[in-house]
């Protein structure tokens, strides 16, 4: 069961990472990156590292998303082709 | 170009697969993770450092230099953002279309929804209590300075988002701003020097039983400095990027 | 013990109800046509779904002091979930997304 959970979470992690890399709209990329952080947070917790999980949830999903969005608001919303 | 990219991906992927195949199985008691320093940390960490939480022991004692430089790196990130011209200085005129567009996005302030305002206000004290608890209990349970910094920083950013940047700026006292931003590295350096004086090693912590209170005090001072300094840095990063450009 | 069995069946019932809401909310999130209906479905996952699952887990194996954490988590989820849905819907409205016009039979 534990192995299945790990496998599903890691596959989800890879899938979200790919969608982040493929997103043209940077706001969408930020939202997907927040999802990536939440999945990673679950992986940390499951691996027995709650310290890292707390930080991942607060910084990865919360703070960096806000900082990225502010940066996007100051620059451009989509990647230059 | 595409062929080259594909070849590169294949080579990197093959290298990673070969490397991973060479790793010992996860949780293998004979793996290098458990036979080198890890075993010593687990067996003698409490006796050697006098700290009850082994994660804290590794962070502050065995890997003190890493943690010190980590705090310096976070501080450097803030310095780098503050060094950006747009963070501190207002450009005289809009230079191009995108600058004008971004100003429309950020400055046509949408009034904050009363529901969001109320909920953030209601939850903020609880978040602060959680952060303080994880700091206070950090020497026995998961948590500590960095976790607390992340939680307090996130709370300050949430408050900044609903109260507006003028109110949020007041969360950090203006006169103490520079000191608070540099609190982590400064206190870490002071504690490292105190440890040098006491034990003869930079960043040394007195480990003997007699110095129990002093050691606890040093660790608590360090953890509080990391928490407060880190939270202020996160909040300042937000303010710097949120400032009108 | 009758009381224990009652508590246990209440716990199982709450978890089953929660999972049902989570399933319905997820299907809604995938199948509904626009931002507003999707936010509506997704917020059911948060409040009714996760809320009941957490309460069920708190009742599971008897109610101990540590289970207060789960109750607090349930309150947090029930308060923050609808707020998020509200903020999302408000932002969509302000940025000019029009609700799905059901009478016209498709997105405008």
């Amino acid at each position: 069961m534990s192995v299945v959970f790990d496998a599903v979470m890691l596959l989800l992690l890879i899938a979200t990472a790919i969608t982040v890399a493929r997103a043209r709209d940077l706001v969408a990329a930020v939202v997907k990156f927040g999802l990536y952080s939440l999945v990673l947070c679950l992986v940390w917790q499951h691996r027995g590292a709650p310290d890292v999980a707390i930080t991942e949830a607060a910084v990865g999903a919360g703070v960096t998303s806000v900082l990225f969005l502010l940066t996007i608001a100051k620059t451009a919303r989509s990647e230059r082709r | 170009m595409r062929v080259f990219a594909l070849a590169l991906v294949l080579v990197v992927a093959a290298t990673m697969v070969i490397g991973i195949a060479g790793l010992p199985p996860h949780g293998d008691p004979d793996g290098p993770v458990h036979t080198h320093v890890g075993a010593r940390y687990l067996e003698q960490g409490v006796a050697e450092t006098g700290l009850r939480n082994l994660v804290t022991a590794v962070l502050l004692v065995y890997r003190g230099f890493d943690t010190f430089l980590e705090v310096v790196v976070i501080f450097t990130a803030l310095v780098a953002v503050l060094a950006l011209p747009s963070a501190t200085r207002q450009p005289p005129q809009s230079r191009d279309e995108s600058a004008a567009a971004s100003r429309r996005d950020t400055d046509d302030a949408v009034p904050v929804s009363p529901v969001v305002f109320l909920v953030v206000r209601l939850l903020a004290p609880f978040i602060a209590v959680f952060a303080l608890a994880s700091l206070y209990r950090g020497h026995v349970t998961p948590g500590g300075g960095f976790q607390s910094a992340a939680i307090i920083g996130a709370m300050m950013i949430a408050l900044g988002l609903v109260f507006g940047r003028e109110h949020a700026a007041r969360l950090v006292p203006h006169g103490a701003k520079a000191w608070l931003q540099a609190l982590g590295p400064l206190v870490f350096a002071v504690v490292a020097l105190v440890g040098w004086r006491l034990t003869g090693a930079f960043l040394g912590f007195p480990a003997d039983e007699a110095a129990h209170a002093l050691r606890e005090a040093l660790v608590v001072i360090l953890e509080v400095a990391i928490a407060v300094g880190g939270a202020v840095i996160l909040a300042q990063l937000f303010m710097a990027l949120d400032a009108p450009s | 013990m009758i009381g224990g069995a009652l508590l246990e069946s209440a716990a199982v019932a709450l978890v089953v109800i929660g999972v049902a809401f989570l399933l319905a909310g997820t299907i809604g999130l995938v199948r509904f046509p626009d931002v507003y209906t999707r936010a509506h479905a997704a917020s059911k996952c948060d409040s009714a779904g996760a809320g009941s699952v957490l309460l069920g887990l708190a009742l599971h194996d008897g109610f101990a002091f540590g289970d207060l954490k789960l109750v607090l988590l349930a309150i947090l989820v029930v308060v923050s979930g609808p707020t998020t849905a509200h903020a999302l819907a408000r932002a969509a409205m302000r940025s000019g997304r029009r609700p799905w016009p059901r009478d016209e039979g498709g997105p405008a």
Side-chain angles (χ1 to χ4, degrees):
Chain A
M1 193 56 211
S2 181
V3 175
V4 173
F5 183 85
D6 270 344
V8 169
M9 282 296 147
L10 291 177
L11 285 177
L12 207 56
L13 209 55
I14 295 171
T16 43
I18 291 173
T19 58
V20 171
R22 288 183 61 88
R24 283 279 172 202
D25 183 352
L26 292 179
V27 174
V30 169
V31 173
K32 286 164 183 168
F33 186 67
L35 180 65
Y36 174 87
S37 285
L38 283 179
V39 177
L40 191 56
C41 167
L42 289 179
V43 174
W44 290 134
Q45 174 65 38
H46 190 68
R47 289 264 129 188
D51 308 52
V52 192
I54 296 173
T55 315
E56 183 68 46
V59 173
V63 176
T64 49
S65 299
V66 173
L67 295 183
F68 278 145
L69 286 177
L70 287 172
T71 312
I72 290 169
K74 274 177 178 284
T75 54
R77 181 168 170 160
S78 57
E79 244 176 278
R80 198 169 289 146
R81 309 267 148 120
Chain B
M1 197 59 213
R2 276 178 157 269
V3 178
F4 175 70
L6 185 67
L8 189 67
V9 165
L10 285 178
V11 168
V12 171
T15 316
M16 285 170 82
V17 167
I18 293 169
I20 290 170
L23 286 176
H26 182 79
D28 179 11
D30 299 324
V33 184
H34 300 288
T35 49
H36 284 256
V37 286
R40 178 174 171 138
Y41 291 166
L42 288 180
E43 281 158 15
Q44 295 168 28
V46 174
E48 276 185 345
T49 64
L51 297 170
R52 275 179 291 169
N53 186 343
L54 279 176
V55 175
T56 312
V58 171
L59 269 182
L60 294 184
V61 181
Y62 291 117
R63 291 279 179 269
F65 277 100
D66 291 17
T67 314
F68 189 7
L69 291 179
E70 213 167 284
V71 172
V72 172
V73 163
I74 299 173
F75 177 66
T76 313
L78 177 66
V79 172
V81 169
L82 289 179
L84 292 173
S86 68
T88 46
R89 183 152 38 84
Q90 296 197 17
Q93 284 294 321
S94 68
R95 284 181 302 262
D96 56 356
E97 284 282 86
S98 78
S102 78
R103 206 172 41 252
R104 258 202 314 284
D105 282 349
T106 50
D107 272 14
D108 268 355
V110 177
V112 173
S113 149
V115 179
V116 177
F117 185 82
L118 179 74
V119 168
V120 170
R121 263 184 73 174
L122 274 179
L123 289 184
F126 291 97
I127 299 172
V129 168
F130 175 55
L132 289 179
S134 86
L135 176 64
Y136 175 69
R137 300 276 297 157
H139 59 99
V140 278
T141 57
F146 285 104
Q147 285 72 33
S148 187
I151 299 164
I152 300 176
M155 181 200 75
M156 286 168 94
I157 289 175
L159 286 175
L161 280 172
V162 301
F163 278 91
R165 62 179 80 93
E166 288 81 16
H167 276 79
R170 268 185 245 151
L171 279 174
V172 182
H174 192 73
K177 202 157 89 182
W179 291 102
L180 286 175
Q181 285 165 1
L183 196 66
L186 277 179
V187 172
F188 222 118
V190 170
V191 168
L193 291 175
V194 169
W196 196 4
R197 185 87 182 78
L198 290 174
T199 64
F202 190 72
L203 261 176
F205 281 90
D208 48 331
E209 200 46 49
H212 177 77
L214 180 64
R215 179 178 60 238
E216 296 272 301
L218 284 178
V219 168
V220 167
I221 290 171
L222 210 48
E223 294 272 12
V224 170
I226 291 172
V228 174
V232 168
I233 285 175
L234 286 180
Q236 289 299 123
L237 278 173
F238 166 72
M239 306 286 188
L241 288 171
D242 191 39
S245 57
Chain C
M1 198 170 88
I2 287 293
L6 204 64
L7 209 61
E8 198 58 37
S9 40
V12 171
L14 275 172
V15 171
V16 168
I17 290 171
V19 171
F21 268 105
L22 281 169
L23 180 67
T26 312
I27 293 174
L29 184 65
V30 177
R31 294 288 299 157
F32 277 165
D34 72 342
V35 180
Y36 305 101
T37 47
R38 282 180 181 172
H40 163 82
S43 69
K44 296 297 160 293
C45 280
D46 280 349
S47 45
S52 339
V53 169
L54 284 169
L55 284 181
L57 289 179
L59 292 181
H60 178 65
D61 275 348
F63 190 82
F65 181 72
D67 291 338
L68 275 181
K69 285 184 194 169
L70 289 173
V71 175
L72 280 178
L73 269 180
I75 294 174
L76 175 75
V77 158
V78 165
V79 169
S80 67
T83 311
T84 318
H86 159 79
L88 268 176
R90 191 169 180 272
M93 203 67 190
R94 291 219 166 234
S95 65
R97 291 293 181 95
R98 287 188 41 215
W100 178 58
R102 193 172 113 186
D103 298 338
E104 293 161 29

